[in-house]
Amino acid sequence: GTQPNHIEWYISTMLFCMLIIYPILLKYYKIFTYVIAPILSLLLLGYLSYTTNSLTGVSVWLGFCYKSMLRSFVEISLGVIAFEVTKYVKKLHLNLKQKILLNCLEWFCIISTSIFVVLTFTKQYEVYVLFLIMIMIIIAFSEQTWYPKWLDNSVIRKIGKFTLPVYLSQVGALNIVNIF
């Protein structure tokens, strides 16, 4: 009963990192987006990969902070980069071949990350999967493929309203599954 909900690590570190990153973004948006965020992300990912060989294990103490804090800085910085790239891709006028290629890339990202989640690959590949997820997010939010148009309906929006409660209560469900 003394262990916190494993999910709250992300919410707490995300809020702490946004407390630091958001004022920087307000004052130095372009410098942070085009220079600091890519360099910070690569350096921190390299450090985490070199020292711990994975991104998971968020309660690992690194001597100066928990691994989860660095991971949050990486993921929020990658999100800032993805937002900017998405704005660029959204403005492109793609022909049919390019849209088909983008759809194939999106499906490659979806299938690859799903395979990684379902199968038991070594943790060292998590960094690559993180970049695949970033590419998938960029493509999805750019609205250049056909899937966002198909998935924009009232049923999907209603399902979307359940995502936060499901996310926050997943540890209880995992514990019940572990019992059986």
Side-chain angles (χ1 to χ4, degrees), residues 20-119:
I20 295 169
I21 291 174
Y22 184 69
I24 297 170
L25 274 174
L26 285 177
K27 189 161 184 155
Y28 307 106
Y29 182 82
K30 287 195 181 225
I31 292 172
F32 185 85
T33 304
Y34 296 110
V35 179
I36 296 171
I39 292 171
L40 179 71
S41 298
L42 290 176
L43 288 175
L44 290 177
L45 281 172
Y47 174 76
L48 290 174
S49 296
Y50 181 75
T51 57
T52 64
N53 207 25
S54 73
L55 298 178
T56 52
V58 294
S59 60
V60 173
W61 179 251
L62 298 173
F64 57 94
C65 73
Y66 284 102
K67 189 177 186 180
S68 58
M69 191 64 68
L70 296 183
R71 182 174 160 186
S72 291
F73 271 109
V74 167
E75 291 175 358
I76 291 171
S77 296
L78 290 177
V80 169
I81 297 165
F83 176 75
E84 198 62 32
V85 174
T86 300
K87 287 189 335 188
Y88 173 77
V89 174
K90 199 176 215 178
K91 294 177 187 175
L92 295 176
H93 299 287
L94 303 177
N95 61 35
L96 183 61
K97 281 185 180 179
Q98 292 168 328
K99 286 191 179 215
I100 291 171
L101 187 63
L102 208 56
N103 277 283
C104 291
L105 179 59
E106 183 178 31
W107 273 104
F108 172 77
C109 292
I110 291 168
I111 292 168
S112 300
T113 55
S114 298
I115 288 171
F116 181 81
V117 168
V118 172
L119 301 178

Side-chain angles (χ1 to χ4, degrees), residues 3-8 165-180:
Q3 277 195 336
N5 183 341
H6 297 287
I7 304 309
E8 56 188 40
V166 167
Y167 174 75
L168 293 174
S169 64
Q170 67 178 300
V171 172
L174 289 171
N175 289 338
I176 292 170
V177 169
N178 282 335
I179 290 170
F180 295 105

